[in-house]
Amino acid sequence: MTIAAVISTGNITATTTVPTTTIASVPNTPITAVPTTDPTTAISDVLTTLHTTATSAVPTNSHTTADPTTADTTATTSVPTTHATANTLTTTITTTTATTMATAIIPTTRSTTTTLSTNTTSTLSSTMTTATTLPTVLNVEMSVRLNMEYKQELNDNTSSAYSNLTSRILPVLIRQYQGITGFVDVLVKQFRNGSVITDFVVRTTQIIANELNAANLTLPEAMQSVAPVIGSVSAFYNSPTPISIPNLTYTGNSMTLTCGIFSGNINIGHISGSVWKFNGQQINTGGRINIATGDVSNLTVNNIIPADVGLYECTLRSSGMDFLQSGVVTADQIKQAPILQLPSQVNIQCMQGQTILQPLQCCVQQPYTVQWFKDTTNLNSTSTNHVQKYCVMYNYQLLSCNETHEEKISFTCRVDNLQGYEMTTTVTTFSDAVTCNDTQYGTGRAGDISVSWCDEGQEGSKTAVCQSTGQWKLMSDTCIMIIIKDFLIYSKGLVGEEVSSFVVNLSQAVHQHQAEILNSSATLSAIVDILNTIANVPIPINVTVMENVLNTVDVIIGDSARDSWVFLNRNNTSNTSSELLGSLETLSNQLVGEFTIGTQRILLNRTTFNSYFAADLNSSIMINIPQNKATNTFITTIKFSSLNNVLPTRNSTTSNGTVTDGVINADVVLVKINAIIQNVTLSYVKLNNSLPLKSRCVFWNFTLFHNLGAWDDKGCTLVTDINNTVTCNCNHLTSFSILMSDNLSSIPPTQGETLDIITYVGVGISMASLVICLIIEGCVWKAVTTNISALIHHVSIVNTTLSLLIADICFIIGASIAKNPAENPGEDYNVPVGPCSTATFFMHFFYLALFFWMLVSGLLLFYRVITFFSYMSRSKTLAISFSLGYGCPLIIAVITVAVTAPGHGYISKDYACWLNWTETKALLALVIPALSIVFINILILIMVLFKSLRNRVRDAIQSNEKHMLVVIARCVIILTPLFGLTWSLGVGTMVSPTNRAIHIAFAFFNSLQGFCVLVFGTLSDSKVCSILTGSNESERSTSFKHSSLRGINGFRGRASVYHVSKATKLNSSHKQDSYISI
């Protein structure tokens, strides 16, 4: 069968008869085709060595059309045919093109020119085969963004929109890149959304980055006829040559991968940097990873583990284009290194006249084998094959020794056919008596050290010391499960995208091997390190990630892990337990959303609240946050029912962070909130109600003992301890619990008794002094109130004494209503609102009256010494004094009640009858007036002292007046600071009821208050003393004169220049009082 092939060129037509070929109508222009399949397959097919025959076999159902936008053929073949006739075609080439994308064919082989006369017909009489080997074609993939609207039809390569845009772009690309060295053709791959992103391939036999870059720089201008270009043109070459990978690397060693250009027909210019990816995730230098880039890029992965198997990708950056290379590290290229199991330190007792055989065993996992050596000598050993390991046994023969014999000898166990993998056993022989002896650590004397191997599936060692008690004590345990060690190593380079899958795998591994994990302290420590690393990856933590984390934690805090945690906490340089809690606190800060997670031992709840929060955590812990300014605030609570197995009982009062014999007697709760909260109440149900110990509200302080961590009670106060429930109040949020011990109070029992004695004796002395002061004032009242100054002074003293006495009585009543938790542990501290509010009101009122009457004394001194005002009547002066002394305190006390009581914020609910501080700051209603009065009185004293030192005193002054002013000045100077200091310490005892220093200082100065009022307010007046002693008038006058001079001298600091006039009696209200004038 023959098929006629018609070739048309202009108006010239030639007909060639070719056996079994297709009819192909081919124009004289380059053929273009629309892509329909993967371009790389077609390109590869086109560029293979062409084999042609006389009869070109082409599928008979294929047809090549002259349409420049479509093609349905599957291969491109050049078939030369010859025909010898005059004036006819000597050689013609029929070309059919098969491709899956728009293709511009540029011939790479020589073909003869066809010259035909019009309507000349040629008949094929013979055929000739031509074979041509083409150079390797390299595909440079490029992308350009066109500023035009993307249409959905551009996603369909059979649509007219796709064909039209291709026909417009392709000629531009051909003209732009046909000038580069080795140019073959250009293929349009696809259009993508983002304006219109055009992906195309420039095929060339040689890549010169500078030429490509120059063409890319001018492409935006060339594309103006199609559409404006946005940004620059990107170009990269994806090398078919894989990354260079070592054939075999053992775990624990380093593996170096090399990415580079090893072909002479590729030149991307200067390499400015590189980017490496592992399983699609970018990796950078740090941890186990080191990247060095020069002419090539080397990726070194240290401490190789099986998880390092996977796909590695490398991108070399240059100014013109990127060079991409990839390679897969298979499981056959990373092999678990041999793990030797043997005792590295053995102690043997030798006996005189006896021969001892000490078996030395060395094991390694299959398929490795080992042998024993002494130096370089291979020792005769017995081998044993197990399912998963291979062991050899060497019987060391120890001959008899003398009494003083002690010797050390070393044996080496080496892995066969693998250099560098060996371990040494040191045998110590001794002749002394054996103190310790067991199957794991063998024999030993007191102080001897024995090092044993780990269980199967672990690596490391256990070191124990022989104690004089005959027991081996474990000193260190580095046995870590290999699978967890691999997780630990991998976590060092963990990135955010890997966290989700990583925690799933970790949780599964921990649950699968939990029996082995819980008995390995080193493995527990490794898991905590892993969790700490996860917590420090800066990503939001969703419910899935947190659930897997808590499932892992749930396993390692169980009762079966108690012994391992005890061992870890015994090490005063390890803070593994503190790190675990810290990791969970960090994770709780990164949570997103609202959810609840429950495991066997952990309950997490994350929610929001407005202004008030209360929660019951599985009936074991109740949390209450009173009214506050929080709005739509997230709060996270995590309750741990068995964290008492993990956290040690050391606390802030122990020395050097040693673990005490106390007990964590409640669940531990972690509370995190994204707001400032200064008042939270927590109620715990005791785990063991039969413990005869004191309860203490504590939180975990991470910074104590050089960041080792310990329980601390700063900011937390015990409120009640009743009916198996302990209630605490704290002014901050963190991880809380209750700690119970025999000696946890910050005030030791012996010092507490001393404090009680000081308090009782001091208050008794103070109140007795105040009563005596009132009695004395009543006895001498008429005799000493001879002028207005003396009258006001003694009125102030009497009311000051009375206010202080009543305030002390109210203080005692308040203390009996709400007992001090430091002195009365285990009792009910819930204050009754009615009685406590009453006691607090009167304490507030009379403490204020105490200070305001001291202000009256100060103002009297100012009035008599400084001012030049006219005479003020006695009744008017008394009215002002009582209004100031009682009126102002009453107004302040009533306003305080009116403002704070409706919101239940007048008194402190926690531990004492006193003005509220944490919620309403009602205590400021006492602090501000008291400090203001202290400041005013000190200012008055300075002014009086200044005036007196200037020696500007009037001559017209009464001696009695002068004497009384000296008494007032002395009283104000001493009592004002004393009252201020004592009152400050008194507030301190209520704010910090367990601080022994404040208690002792308050008790001491409180005992001085009444006594000082008696001495400096009453007995310092020489007239009062004269009346009490019964001295005659002359003696009183002399005594008065000397005391006055001494007082003024002491007051002024130098000799007095006062002139004393005769005293006038205060028997007429019309007679003007005399002044000390300036």
Side-chain angles (χ1 to χ4, degrees), residues 494-556:
L494 196 63
V495 295
E497 294 81 358
E498 299 175 307
V499 169
S500 181
S501 58
F502 181 83
V503 294
V504 171
N505 295 332
L506 176 64
S507 176
Q508 292 174 350
V510 169
H511 279 82
Q512 183 179 355
H513 302 280
Q514 61 178 319
E516 299 90 339
I517 289 173
L518 299 182
N519 292 318
S520 171
S521 59
T523 304
L524 287 180
S525 182
I527 293 174
V528 172
D529 286 343
I530 294 170
L531 294 174
N532 192 39
T533 300
I534 295 172
N536 289 310
V537 177
I539 61 167
I541 303 297
N542 57 35
V543 59
T544 304
V545 172
M546 196 62 186
E547 184 174 15
N548 283 287
V549 169
L550 294 184
N551 284 333
T552 299
V553 175
D554 187 86
V555 172
I556 65 175

Side-chain angles (χ1 to χ4, degrees), residues 299-356:
L299 168 68
T300 301
V301 183
N302 299 305
N303 206 358
I304 280 290
I305 56 175
D308 292 320
V309 168
L311 173 64
Y312 289 83
E313 299 170 281
C314 166
T315 301
L316 300 180
R317 304 286 193 195
S318 72
S319 58
M321 61 180 295
D322 292 340
F323 176 87
L324 277 61
Q325 204 169 34
S326 63
V328 176
V329 176
T330 65
D332 294 334
Q333 292 172 303
I334 295 180
K335 189 175 182 180
Q336 178 66 52
I339 300 173
L340 299 178
Q341 291 181 309
L342 74 166
S344 57
Q345 178 68 50
V346 177
N347 303 285
I348 305 175
Q349 183 191 31
C350 65
M351 298 182 182
Q352 190 172 5
Q354 294 186 22
T355 299
I356 305 296

Side-chain angles (χ1 to χ4, degrees), residues 738-757:
I738 58 172
L739 190 63
M740 304 190 71
S741 178
D742 288 321
N743 189 20
L744 286 176
S745 174
S746 58
I747 304 178
T750 55
Q751 296 186 5
E753 295 176 0
T754 303
L755 181 61
D756 290 341
I757 296 173

Side-chain angles (χ1 to χ4, degrees), residues 658-674:
T658 55
V659 178
T660 66
D661 57 353
V663 176
I664 301 173
N665 200 26
D667 292 346
V668 176
V669 60
L670 187 159
V671 184
K672 279 292 181 181
I673 187 172
N674 58 344

Side-chain angles (χ1 to χ4, degrees), residues 784-798:
V784 295
T785 55
T786 56
N787 56 54
I788 188 65
S789 298
L791 175 64
I792 300 303
H793 167 66
H794 284 282
V795 168
S796 297
I797 290 298
V798 169

